[in-house]
Amino acid sequence: MNRQLIIFDFDGTLADTLPVFVDVFDQAADKYGFKRMDRSRTQALRQLDARQIMAVHEIPLWKVPAIATFMRSTMGRSVADIRLFDGMPQVLRALKARGVILAVVSSNSRSNVVNVLGPELAGLFSHFECGASLFGKLPKIRKVLAAAGVARAHTLLVGDEIRDARVSAEAGIDFGAVAWGFNTLDALMAENPSRVFRAAGDLLEH
C-alpha cells in the first residue's frame, strides 16, 4: 500500500487560535502603526487573501517579518487559552493508527504548536516545519516531502486559508479545505480544493 502524508496547517485548521490572534493582532497594530482589526468587518475580511488583508490594514510588506515575530512571541504567552477544534484529537489518533504520516507546516512557532497539541498528540507528528514567513510555506512543504519520501500524488495539505490553497498548487499537491477556519468555505471553494472537510471527522472518510 502506498504511504500517505497529510500536512496540516495549524492556526484555524488544527487549533482555534482566532480569538487570541485578533487580540495579538491589535497589540501588533499599536506597536507597529497599522490599523487594528475592525470587529464589525470580520466576516468581510474572511473573504480576503493575506495580501488583501494587509492592504486593508495598511501593513507594508517590509514590516511583516518583525510583526510576525512579535505575534508569535506574544501568542506564546496565551497558549493556555488555545484549544484544538472539536474532534481533532480523536481524528489525529485515528489517522496515525491507519499508518498516515502526519506533519505540520505553520507560520506559528514550533513551541506554540507543540504546547497547544500537548506531548501525546505532538508525538503523533513525524515532521514539524514551523515559523514560516507569511508567504514562505513552499520551502517548508518541500522539506517535509523530501524527508517523508512520499509521492506528491499521495500527499494532502489541509488548511483554512487561501494562501494554503495556493501554496498547495505551487507544491504540486492536493489541497483539502476546512470549513471551520479563517477564510470562508466560499472563498476557499474558489481555489478549487481537491477535498472539502465540513467537520474534523470528515478527514477519516478520505
Side-chain angles (χ1 to χ4, degrees):
M1 184 176 68
N2 292 314
R3 290 190 301 167
Q4 293 183 320
L5 168 65
I6 298 181
I7 302 173
F8 285 96
D9 168 58
F10 179 72
D11 298 271
T13 301
L14 291 176
D16 184 8
T17 55
L18 186 59
V20 170
F21 172 85
V22 171
D23 288 340
V24 173
F25 185 93
D26 284 349
Q27 293 178 52
D30 294 343
K31 181 176 177 67
Y32 291 97
F34 58 89
K35 291 183 178 179
R36 283 182 157 222
M37 188 76 72
D38 184 347
R39 305 299 196 275
S40 68
R41 295 192 62 195
T42 300
Q43 193 62 23
L45 290 172
R46 294 181 65 216
Q47 305 286 341
L48 306 181
D49 66 26
R51 292 186 188 277
Q52 291 169 323
I53 291 170
M54 286 171 59
V56 167
H57 292 91
E58 300 177 0
I59 303 172
L61 189 59
W62 66 269
K63 283 188 179 182
V64 170
I67 292 168
T69 298
F70 172 81
M71 291 185 66
R72 283 192 289 262
S73 175
T74 306
M75 189 175 286
R77 296 195 286 273
S78 301
V79 291
D81 299 323
I82 298 171
R83 297 288 182 270
L84 298 182
F85 285 105
D86 289 346
M88 194 58 71
Q90 296 89 334
V91 165
L92 294 174
R93 293 184 190 107
L95 289 171
K96 184 69 173 180
R98 293 180 183 183
V100 177
I101 300 170
L102 304 179
V104 171
V105 171
S106 175
S107 297
N108 213 325
S109 69
R110 177 169 178 149
S111 61
N112 288 349
V113 171
V114 169
N115 285 338
V116 172
L117 286 170
E120 183 231 335
L121 294 177
L124 303 178
F125 287 83
S126 301
H127 308 278
F128 289 93
E129 287 293 331
C130 301
S133 63
L134 188 60
F135 303 107
K137 284 189 173 182
L138 184 58
K140 293 187 177 292
I141 290 171
R142 286 174 172 161
K143 190 173 179 181
V144 169
L145 288 168
V150 176
R152 282 170 168 77
H154 300 132
T155 300
L156 179 70
L157 189 150
V158 178
D160 72 310
E161 291 187 56
I162 293 169
R163 65 187 176 118
D164 294 322
R166 292 176 180 170
V167 78
S168 295
E170 288 183 79
I173 59 178
D174 284 347
F175 173 63
V178 303
W180 55 81
F182 178 75
N183 279 130
T184 65
L185 188 55
D186 284 345
L188 293 174
M189 290 300 290
E191 302 297 320
N192 299 311
S194 300
R195 303 281 188 276
V196 175
F197 305 111
R198 298 179 184 276
D202 292 348
L203 285 155
L204 299 178
E205 298 175 8
H206 298 278

